[in-house]
């Protein structure tokens, strides 16, 4: 269809997923030497516009089961070469250009070795896999033979330059100077990979980086793999390193020579980190990349074309809390009230909510927060917390709902309390997000009794007459649902039609 409709050639190169046979999972976990089960490649849920909690619910209670510690099966590449192209590595001679395509190779490196010297900033588990079988000597020779005067475009799934998610597009030091990326390529004794070459290759690095890319023999490299779009330029070439900078470009930009391009994901949502928001775990709309050429064949313009859904703001917020481990909610607690008043149904439940200051610069909160409880009788209970600006408190105004809070929410022993918060955008940094969805998560109610007359070490002198509640968001519970609780309630209340 593409050939016949647009009269354009199509070039295809292999990537690491082209030989994955077993399913990888949407919230994958890994385990080594019988140790704890660890989260791996935690960004996959966000790629699908999901909280990790939601992704696990969709996958089911087998999400922790390790299917296979190594899912790369090079034999599966036969399908790729049978269906798409018989060529693994190729060079196509066009009138003004040469298009070079390099295959991924027969293996990947997804776990840092035991000595810990390979991955300075990429982590030992679940980093973006590297193509450790390329660039082979034959592939290098193909590239060298193709650089003979025409404009050369080098295409691969693995990357040449790709910054770690937590490196902002606007990357400045304390004095406001731009921080350049540094890629080490002359690895004599040890292999070193850092936060500026995520998902790169491992062989013949000096020849590719210093002689060909740094030597100005390429017009452009086009890579994929990394779920973060990027355009990079080479600032200088040193003895052992290549220095780069991230191009902060909008819909269009004038490219440098050579242009190092990492295309957006055309399906999954790419990572987006403009100036450090969400700890680097923000997202953007999926998009394609357009590279326009001049009549003589050089790169004249680059453009990203967004398609598909906008990222959900609540996913970025949740990742900031769970993955970046930064509390979105600093505290959410009630004012003190008399225990006797609560027992008589007269407690004035008024709560003070303090949010993370950095996050408050990005959004406003809707003046109503909903909390839900799945009760032992198999029914849902709902209570409204409304914001009263004059006292800066969230209040349960309805007397019946205050009683419901005391009977069902405060005395809930299961993980069955849920909070639902609506947000509105306040900063241009979040203008590309969807704010339609509410942030829904489990919360826990922790009571605190206030001693009448506190005495050091001994405790209260005359007992307790006052009390307060803390509405907590446990980070572990916010990530992993309780399937035992869901299965139990579904078995006990089959007439509800579905598990909560």
């Amino acid at each position: 269809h593409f050939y016949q409709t647009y009269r354009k050639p199509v070039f295809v190169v292999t990537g690491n997923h082209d030989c994955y046979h077993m399913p990888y999972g949407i919230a994958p976990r890994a385990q080594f030497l019988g140790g704890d089960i660890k989260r791996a490649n935690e960004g996959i849920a966000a790629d699908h516009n999901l909280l990790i909690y939601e992704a696990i619910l969709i996958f089911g209670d087998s999400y922790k089961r390790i299917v296979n510690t190594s899912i790369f099966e090079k034999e599966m590449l036969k399908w790729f070469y049978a269906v798409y192209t018989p060529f693994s590595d190729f060079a196509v001679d066009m009138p003004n250009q040469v298009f070079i395509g390099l295959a991924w190779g027969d293996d990947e490196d997804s776990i840092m070795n035991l000595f810990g010297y390979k991955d300075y900033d990429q982590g030992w588990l679940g980093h973006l896999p590297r193509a450790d079988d390329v660039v082979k000597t034959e592939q290098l020779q193909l590239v060298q033979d193709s650089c003979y005067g025409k404009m050369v475009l080098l295409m691969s799934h693995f990357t040449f330059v790709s910054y770690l998610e937590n490196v902002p597009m606007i990357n400045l030091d304390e004095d406001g100077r731009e921080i350049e990326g540094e890629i080490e390529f002359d690895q004599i004794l040890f292999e070193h990979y850092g936060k500026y070459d995520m998902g790169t290759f491992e062989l013949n690095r000096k020849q590719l980086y210093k002689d060909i890319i740094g030597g100005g023999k390429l017009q452009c490299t086009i890579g994929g793999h990394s779920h973060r779009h990027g355009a990079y330029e080479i600032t200088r070439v040193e003895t052992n390193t290549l220095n780069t900078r991230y191009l902060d470009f909008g819909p269009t930009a004038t490219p440098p020579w050579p242009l190092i391009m990492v295309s957006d994901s055309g399906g999954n949502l790419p990572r987006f980190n403009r100036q450090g928001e969400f700890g680097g775990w923000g997202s953007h709309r999926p998009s394609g990349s357009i590279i326009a050429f001049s009549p003589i064949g050089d790169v004249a313009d680059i453009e990203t074309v967004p398609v598909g859904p906008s990222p959900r703001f609540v996913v970025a917020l949740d990742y900031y809390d769970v993955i970046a481990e930064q509390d979105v909610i600093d505290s959410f607690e009630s004012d003190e009230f008399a225990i006797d008043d609560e027992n008589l149904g007269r407690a004035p439940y008024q709560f003070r909510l303090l949010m993370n200051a950095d996050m408050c610069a990005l959004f406003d909160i809707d003046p109503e927060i909903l909390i839900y409880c799945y009760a032992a009788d198999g029914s849902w209970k709902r209570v409204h917390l409304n914001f009263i600006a004059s006292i800066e408190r969230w209040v349960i105004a309805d007397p019946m709902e205050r009683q419901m809070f005391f009977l069902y929410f405060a005395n809930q022993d299961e993980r069955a309390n849920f909070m639902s918060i609506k947000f509105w955008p306040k900063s241009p940094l979040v203008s590309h997000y969807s704010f339609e969805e509410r942030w829904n998560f489990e919360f826990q109610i922790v009571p605190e009794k206030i001693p009448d007359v506190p005495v050091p070490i001994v405790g209260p002198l005359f007992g307790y007459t006052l009390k307060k509640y803390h509405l907590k968001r446990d980070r572990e519970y916010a990530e992993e649902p309780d399937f035992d609780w869901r299965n139990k309630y579904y078995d006990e209340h089959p007439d509800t039609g579905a598990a909560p």
Side-chain angles (χ1 to χ4, degrees):
H1 170 77
F2 193 86
Y3 277 131
Q4 294 177 351
T5 304
Y6 299 102
R7 303 292 180 181
K8 301 290 184 182
V10 177
F11 303 102
V12 186
V13 294
T14 55
N16 56 322
H17 282 254
D18 295 316
C19 51
Y20 286 2
H21 178 57
M22 299 298 293
Y24 190 58
I26 200 169
R29 300 297 194 267
Q31 183 181 34
F32 299 95
L33 303 176
D36 294 336
I37 296 176
K38 300 289 187 179
R39 185 195 305 126
N41 283 14
E42 54 265 87
I44 292 179
D47 292 345
H48 295 271
N49 225 358
L50 296 170
L51 316 181
I52 295 182
Y53 191 101
E54 295 170 333
I56 292 174
L57 276 180
I58 291 172
F59 196 83
D61 57 8
S62 64
Y63 75 98
K64 282 188 177 180
R65 184 168 64 90
I66 310 301
V67 176
N68 195 340
T69 55
S70 177
I71 55 177
F72 192 101
E73 299 182 23
K74 64 181 182 180
E75 291 77 12
M76 297 302 297
L77 290 173
K78 296 176 182 177
W79 284 105
F80 185 95
Y81 295 123
V83 174
Y84 294 109
T85 173
F87 303 111
S88 56
D89 307 300
F90 57 85
V92 180
D93 196 359
M94 307 291 283
N96 296 310
Q97 302 155 306
V98 178
F99 285 74
I100 305 173
L102 298 183
W104 174 274
D106 290 340
D107 206 352
E108 68 177 0
D109 190 353
S110 58
I111 301 170
M112 186 180 74
N113 69 24
L114 297 178
F115 299 103
Y117 58 75
K118 279 193 173 185
D119 304 273
Y120 288 150
D121 301 282
Q122 299 185 17
W124 69 274
L125 169 65
H127 63 66
L128 192 65
R130 290 185 303 273
D132 69 349
D133 189 47
V134 297
V135 170
K136 295 184 176 74
T137 302
E138 296 82 1
Q139 293 176 309
L140 176 63
Q141 189 66 53
L142 175 66
V143 176
Q144 291 172 333
D145 292 345
S146 301
C147 297
Y148 55 83
K150 292 185 178 180
M151 303 296 178
V152 180
L153 283 85
L154 178 59
M155 302 173 291
S156 64
H157 183 69
F158 55 82
T159 65
F160 294 93
V161 181
S162 184
Y163 286 7
L164 185 67
E165 290 91 345
N166 65 12
V167 178
M169 297 168 68
I170 304 174
N171 192 23
L172 306 176
D173 63 16
E174 296 180 352
D175 298 323
R177 294 172 299 193
E178 184 175 14
I179 301 174
E180 292 184 344
E182 186 176 271
I183 298 171
E184 184 174 342
F185 54 70
D186 195 5
Q187 304 174 359
I188 300 174
L189 296 178
F190 300 108
E191 299 176 42
H192 292 159
Y193 306 96
K195 58 185 176 181
Y196 301 107
D197 57 346
M198 296 290 290
T200 185
F201 63 101
E202 298 193 4
L203 304 181
N204 288 309
R205 287 170 65 84
K206 183 176 182 179
Q207 292 87 338
L208 256 296
Y209 279 118
K210 187 173 186 178
D211 300 338
I212 295 178
I213 296 178
K217 297 181 180 180
L218 299 179
Q219 163 71 1
C220 178
T221 71
I222 305 173
H225 193 41
S226 170
H227 288 190
R228 179 185 185 179
H229 94 216
Y232 306 90
E233 69 172 326
I234 309 303
T235 56
R236 65 183 185 275
V237 183
E238 305 288 355
T239 303
N240 300 314
T241 60
L242 190 77
N243 284 56
T244 62
R245 65 183 295 265
Y246 196 114
L247 297 180
D248 181 16
F249 65 96
T252 63
T254 301
W257 181 301
L259 167 68
I260 311 297
M261 188 79 179
V262 179
S263 183
D264 275 358
S265 167
N268 295 339
L269 279 73
R271 297 290 73 77
F272 184 79
N273 175 11
R274 185 168 180 79
Q275 56 188 57
E277 67 278 8
F278 303 117
W281 286 103
S283 298
H284 213 295
R285 293 176 63 190
S287 67
S289 301
I290 294 178
I291 301 178
F293 303 101
S294 74
I296 63 172
D298 64 343
V299 176
D301 186 60
I302 57 176
E303 180 180 358
T304 59
V305 183
V307 296
S310 296
R312 299 164 63 202
F313 174 76
V314 296
V315 172
L317 200 64
D318 210 74
Y319 263 71
Y320 181 73
D321 189 276
V322 173
I323 306 301
E325 297 186 352
Q326 302 292 321
D327 293 331
V328 175
I329 298 175
D330 287 335
S331 65
F332 199 172
E333 62 183 41
S334 71
D335 294 337
E336 297 176 3
F337 56 84
I339 294 176
D340 288 344
D341 283 345
E342 181 175 47
N343 294 332
L344 295 173
R346 299 195 302 252
Y349 292 130
Q350 299 179 172
F351 298 83
R352 187 181 186 198
L353 171 61
L354 294 178
M355 304 290 286
N356 179 297
D358 292 336
M359 292 294 98
C360 287
L362 302 179
F363 59 77
D364 285 320
I365 300 179
D366 190 87
E368 179 185 63
I369 294 176
L370 304 176
I371 58 176
Y372 295 84
C373 175
Y374 193 71
D377 62 4
S379 65
W380 284 99
K381 312 297 182 183
R382 182 174 69 180
V383 168
H384 301 72
L385 281 74
N386 298 102
F387 184 69
I388 308 300
S390 59
I391 59 174
E392 296 186 338
R393 293 294 188 272
W394 296 83
V395 176
I396 303 177
D398 188 289
M400 296 295 293
E401 291 192 357
R402 289 201 296 266
Q403 186 71 1
M404 188 185 301
F405 177 87
F406 173 62
L407 292 175
Y408 294 101
F409 290 78
N411 296 292
Q412 176 60 259
D413 294 328
E414 302 284 355
R415 286 173 52 182
N417 287 335
F418 297 86
M419 187 175 295
S420 181
I421 306 177
K422 177 74 173 177
F423 301 98
W424 303 99
K426 191 166 69 174
S427 165
L429 279 176
V430 294
S431 60
H432 63 282
Y433 286 93
S434 167
F435 280 78
E436 296 178 2
E437 299 84 4
R438 305 177 70 90
W439 193 29
N440 303 314
F441 56 87
E442 291 186 27
F443 78 98
Q444 297 74 43
I445 299 179
V446 181
E448 177 189 358
K449 291 183 178 180
I450 313 299
D452 293 342
V453 182
V455 178
I457 303 176
V458 178
L461 187 62
F462 301 110
Y464 302 94
T465 59
L466 297 178
K467 187 178 181 181
K468 70 187 329 185
Y469 284 115
H470 298 268
L471 308 187
K472 297 280 190 177
R473 172 180 157 90
D474 184 285
R475 188 168 287 131
E476 180 179 349
Y477 292 167
E479 177 182 356
E480 300 185 7
D482 185 351
F483 284 100
D484 290 338
W485 170 75
R486 283 174 168 76
N487 292 332
K488 182 182 73 172
Y489 271 78
Y490 179 74
D491 292 339
E492 294 176 355
H493 307 286
D495 294 336
T496 60

